[in-house]
Amino acid sequence: MRLRNALTTMMSLAVAARQSTAQTICAQIAASIGWTSVFPSFTPQYTTDILHWLESSTQLSECSVRPNTVEKVATVLALLGKTNTPFAVKGGGHTSNPGFSSTTGVQISLEKFAGVDYDQNAGTVTIGASLVWDEVYGELQPHGVTVLGGRFPSVGVSGLLLGGGYSWKANAFGLGSDSVVAWEVAFPNGTAATVTDANDPDLAFALRGGGNNFGIVTNFVMKAYPQTNVWGGILVVTQDNWDAVLSATETFSSTVTDPKAQIFVIFGSAGLVVTNVPVSFVTLSYDAPEQPEGIFDQFLAIDALIKDISSRSLLSLVQTGLAANYGAFTRGSWDTIPTPSYDRTFMNALVNQTVFWSDKLTSSGSILVGTAIEPFLPSILASGTTETAAYPYTREQVYFPTLLAMYWLPTSIDQTMIAARNSSVDTLKSVLEIETQGAAPGVPYSNYAASTTTVEQLYGSNLARLRQIKKRVDPNNVMGLAGGFKILPA
Ligand SMILES: Cc1cc2nc3c(=O)[nH]c(=O)nc-3n(C[C@H](O)[C@H](O)[C@H](O)COP(=O)(O)OP(=O)(O)OC[C@H]3O[C@@H](n4cnc5c(N)ncnc54)[C@H](O)[C@@H]3O)c2cc1C
């Protein structure tokens, strides 16, 4: 009993010491960058700054800070490093991994970096790190240009570009990260710089997929691409027609080579308290005002519950993906299965897993078990090389980032849901292993990957170079005080 009391006292002292250290650092940051840039708990700014797309990714920090220049971000980073204070930096807050852009220490908000500046002469767009893609597309629409960003509403610019970035133009122009030409970066040693392929090719390589390991990016400069209206939208299909969706997806992924065409197929089983409602959401996209005949015919022939397909703006196409936000503000967890091709055996297994786990878990509080099929062309990797980008570490083979997502309500079933997700991923990987006769497991997409994924799995043969770069720009691993997939200095 006495031992337990002593332990409890020690733990309370440790918690109190950590809290007072964090409170002291909030005061130090305020003294250094200005009291109006630091927000204590439960102010409206603090509440916005810690909020995440998933409730399970939100943590209560000691304070949030909103530096308004890259130099001030660097000052904050240096202070956090000097005092060994845990912190987080958030873009759009869409990670499903708790602690990756949230913290119980100091939350850095990039709220003050919110500009979209199109430079017609240079053919580039400078984008503030706090923005979400719909805001960017909306700003660029009057100029008739766009950039390679997210395909669904409300996703953050920063995290997507620091991990890779699959856009509706990916087949034609490659990954979003490959189209970044400059990054404005605050470094852990308190300095700031604009990084380009010309002035620091190593760091440019690291920032194309290396996540939050090298500093905080405050602005991205991306190539601009012409944008007309697009053709496309969404089909919502009930389970009795899933066979037709699977057949159309199989035909599309094995025959269509037109880089303007793309699909995104979700199979989901939504738990509604006691029963499941299995629904498929199919997004069709053709990057021109009208589609050529033949490419999407099989999809268009499906007897869909909802069919919202038209010639529309890119922003309007992205907004049809609102269904992808089912699950927002619940608890949730994602993982990915690098997939070399989509044949019927694998897709059937995906669908079976979705329905199986939803049936099993709905009565416990699961509200959605879903999977997303994303077939791309090999041309998606043509705009970059393994020399110029950390992700993917091999470009000899394209791996499609198949997504597995689970959303639920009660905290009490966190472990059950995560165990179910792991079991499902294992089952699906073993299906692929048989199909590929034990070929290498492929490159996971860090922006979909579960937190247990290792940096060896993510960065493979690029890891040694990344560790050298880390040693140069962050030898004391200050960025290791923030969560994420952590690359250690060599
Ligand atoms: C509904 C939905 C749709 C999606 N659609 C797509 C899609 O079409 N294409 C695609 O490729 N991915 C997509 N994703 C995945 C998406 O790329 C990741 O969730 C990504 O992390 C989102 O970025 P964020 O800024 O919102 O995330 P955050 O949670 O804010 O950040 C993610 C990570 O990046 C770090 N980070 C954020 N900003 C900075 C910064 N400025 N400097 C340094 N580090 C930073 C954070 O610390 C964290 O580790 C989607 C996700 C969701 C939930």
Side-chain angles (χ1 to χ4, degrees), residues 53 89-95 100-101 110 129 150-152 155-156 158-160 162 165-166 212 215-217 324-325 334 445 447-448 483:
W53 187 72
V89 54
K90 189 186 92 170
H94 270 55
T95 179
F100 273 39
S101 54
L110 298 169
R151 293 162 293 178
F152 296 96
V155 183
S158 291
L160 181 137
L162 288 166
Y166 293 89
N212 67 2
I216 295 180
V217 180
N325 275 342
W334 283 24
Y445 180 35
N447 279 341
Y448 291 0

Side-chain angles (χ1 to χ4, degrees), residues 155-177:
V155 183
V157 165
S158 291
L160 181 137
L161 287 180
L162 288 166
Y166 293 89
S167 70
W168 287 121
K169 281 182 166 3
N171 284 331
F173 302 112
L175 296 172
S177 49

Side-chain angles (χ1 to χ4, degrees), residues 52-54 57 87-97 99-102 107 110 129-133 137 149-168 175-176 184-185 207 211-220 262 264 321-326 328 334 374 376 401 403 407 445-448 479 482-486:
H52 280 68
W53 187 72
L54 288 170
S57 295
F87 70 94
V89 54
K90 189 186 92 170
H94 270 55
T95 179
S96 65
N97 291 321
F100 273 39
S101 54
S102 60
Q107 180 79 50
L110 298 169
S130 74
L131 292 174
V132 301
W133 290 107
Y137 299 148
R151 293 162 293 178
F152 296 96
S154 82
V155 183
V157 165
S158 291
L160 181 137
L161 287 180
L162 288 166
Y166 293 89
S167 70
W168 287 121
L175 296 172
E184 185 183 73
V185 186
L207 292 168
N212 67 2
N213 282 288
F214 302 93
I216 295 180
V217 180
T218 48
N219 276 293
F220 297 83
Q262 214 190 104
F264 191 106
L322 256 185
N325 275 342
Y326 186 89
W334 283 24
E374 303 181 40
F376 292 104
L403 171 68
Y407 306 102
Y445 180 35
S446 66
N447 279 341
Y448 291 0
M479 293 308 295
F485 298 110
K486 293 289 107 173

